[in-house]
Amino acid sequence: MKLYSGPLSMFGAKAEIALREKGIAFDLEMVPFEMKTLYEPKHPEVLRVNPKRQVPVLIDGDLELFDSTQIFEYLETLKPEPALWPADPKARARARLLEHKSDEVYFPHIVRLMGDPRAPGAHEAAARFYDEMERTLGDREWLGGGYSYADIAFYMAQLFGDRMGAPMGEAHPRLQAWRERMGARPPVRQVAGAMGRYLLSIGRKLPAFLAKLST
């Protein structure tokens, strides 16, 4: 099994954390990346497999997948234990929805901040999403009840949110405690820490929580 990712790919990091949480043996290839040109020229295997021209790409024998959520689903079917979706159908549906909302509701506002640090409404939208996740978490340890892909997805998304100037605030103490629990997991620490060290190597500042993982 081989995963193509990138040093600053949020979605690639999601897939890599999932593989490591599952304990699945795989080869990792970081495709060429440079801040000015980003992922140009594209890696030929990424171009061949993914019509969207993006990492992550997972190759397992004759199976070729792209999209972090599709990779999640394959890994859960391939190796059901340790489970990273809840067993109960309704709990699983809610966790899947949380993963989707991290990618498709919250993260687009962070992408806008990447292009314009003062993008109208982006900071406010991120704060509203944190409020929602604070309520969703409640007194539980993990967003979906048990630890799941929903936690992996939102952890990586909020990492980029914090970096782009939309951090959690004083109104989100439970989420901040959740983030500490996430950072204590070896796969999360390994993948997020590697991203942090890459950012340091190119002279970027890190949020305090990420700096702790990057030493």
Side-chain angles (χ1 to χ4, degrees):
M1 188 179 292
K2 187 167 189 176
L3 177 69
Y4 291 89
S5 186
L8 290 182
S9 171
M10 183 196 84
F11 296 103
K14 286 172 54 181
E16 184 184 349
I17 291 170
L19 282 159
R20 296 190 185 283
E21 290 282 8
K22 288 285 188 182
I24 296 172
F26 69 103
D27 294 325
L28 175 65
E29 182 166 341
M30 290 291 186
V31 305
F33 177 85
E34 201 275 328
M35 286 301 294
K36 291 183 179 179
T37 59
L38 303 180
Y39 290 102
E40 298 292 347
K42 301 289 186 177
H43 191 286
E45 282 295 272
V46 174
L47 286 176
R48 184 181 66 81
V49 175
N50 187 356
K52 296 178 69 176
R53 302 162 56 90
Q54 299 168 341
V55 291
V57 163
L58 183 76
I59 298 178
D60 187 14
D62 62 353
L63 176 66
E64 299 172 341
L65 291 174
F66 61 90
D67 183 85
S68 60
T69 302
Q70 299 304 312
I71 292 170
F72 279 178
E73 297 292 351
Y74 173 62
L75 298 179
E76 191 73 357
T77 303
L78 180 69
K79 190 176 180 185
E81 296 295 333
L84 290 176
W85 284 132
D88 176 76
K90 289 185 178 179
R92 180 173 291 210
R94 292 187 183 103
R96 280 177 164 149
L97 183 60
L98 287 172
E99 189 262 342
H100 180 72
K101 289 169 74 172
S102 293
D103 287 357
E104 302 296 337
V105 176
Y106 167 76
F107 195 61
H109 299 295
I110 307 309
V111 172
R112 292 177 60 219
L113 292 173
M114 293 177 186
D116 177 2
R118 294 184 294 180
H123 293 90
E124 293 81 1
R128 287 194 298 272
F129 195 81
Y130 297 145
D131 291 344
E132 178 184 345
M133 290 299 99
E134 182 81 3
R135 293 190 298 270
T136 297
L137 182 62
D139 293 328
R140 300 179 301 184
E141 278 195 307
W142 309 111
L143 293 171
Y147 179 70
S148 75
Y149 291 124
D151 297 288
I152 296 171
F154 184 53
Y155 181 86
M156 288 310 309
Q158 64 80 38
L159 184 155
F160 277 77
D162 203 313
R163 285 190 57 236
M164 293 300 116
M168 300 173 188
E170 294 181 358
H172 313 116
R174 291 168 171 168
L175 275 184
Q176 293 190 53
W178 162 86
R179 186 168 62 187
E180 288 294 311
R181 290 191 291 275
M182 287 293 296
R185 298 187 71 88
V188 175
R189 186 181 188 93
Q190 181 175 351
V191 176
M195 186 176 286
R197 289 188 291 275
Y198 178 83
L199 287 163
L200 289 173
S201 76
I202 59 173
R204 301 302 173 99
K205 293 182 179 180
L206 303 182
F209 79 91
L210 183 56
K212 287 174 59 177
L213 307 183
S214 306
T215 55

